[in-house]
Amino acid sequence: MAITQAVANSFKKELLEGEHTFQFSGGDTFKLALYTSAATLNSTTTVYPGDSTGDQVPDSGQYTQGGGTLVKPNPSTSVSSGVAIVDFADLSFTGVTITARGALIYNISSSNKAVAVLDFGADKTATSGTFTIQFPAFTTSAAILRIGN
């Protein structure tokens, strides 16, 4: 079992087919679900699998299976130097006791289709506290989703 950070292969194709809309106002709704080290998530993940294999972080405090809704700041997208980027606000779950190894970003407006897998590099734990997913800077070299030439 392994979590490997990647943009989902299916997402790349679905972008060209118009499946995902990242507009600040009126765009799709995206969520982020947390997974344990028992999960197998990678570029071939096509949809949010729920907890069918028992590898999603269990409910605790503010975290419930299925994860939290991601907020798209305004602007949520930009193009600079030939690179299109997408941004999400940091996401926090309070009052939790959890251990997570990675996460899946998925689009609930489009049949829970996978967008990207995040690998935290090691188990991250919060004990009776706050668990925060901090997204990278909204720049062409760091944004969580980047499309360039």
Side-chain angles (χ1 to χ4, degrees):
M1 318 266 178
I3 296 175
T4 305
Q5 185 150 317
V7 173
N9 291 336
S10 57
F11 170 75
K12 296 171 191 176
K13 177 179 176 281
E14 292 159 3
L15 272 179
L16 297 176
E17 296 171 341
E19 281 289 325
H20 303 274
T21 306
F22 288 90
Q23 295 162 316
F24 172 70
S25 178
D28 291 345
T29 300
F30 297 87
K31 291 188 83 172
L32 181 144
L34 298 172
Y35 286 85
T36 69
S37 59
T40 299
L41 299 169
N42 53 47
S43 64
T44 64
T45 302
T46 59
V47 296
Y48 163 69
D51 194 39
S52 58
T53 58
D55 53 10
Q56 190 175 159
V57 169
D59 294 357
S60 177
Q62 193 184 39
Y63 182 80
T64 57
Q65 290 191 339
T69 301
L70 292 169
V71 174
K72 296 173 288 196
N74 189 12
S76 57
T77 59
S78 180
V79 176
S80 178
S81 304
V83 179
I85 57 178
V86 172
D87 192 23
F88 294 112
D90 295 349
L91 178 63
S92 294
F93 301 101
T94 59
V96 297
T97 298
I98 56 176
T99 299
R101 171 58 194 241
L104 177 68
I105 297 173
Y106 64 101
N107 185 345
I108 66 170
S109 300
S110 185
S111 304
N112 294 335
K113 292 181 178 177
V115 173
V117 174
L118 306 180
D119 178 1
F120 301 154
D123 282 349
K124 303 296 181 185
T125 301
T127 305
S128 297
T130 301
F131 192 97
T132 300
I133 307 328
Q134 184 175 7
F135 285 94
F138 187 46
T139 66
T140 57
S141 60
I144 193 70
L145 291 173
R146 301 180 301 273
I147 301 173
N149 21 350

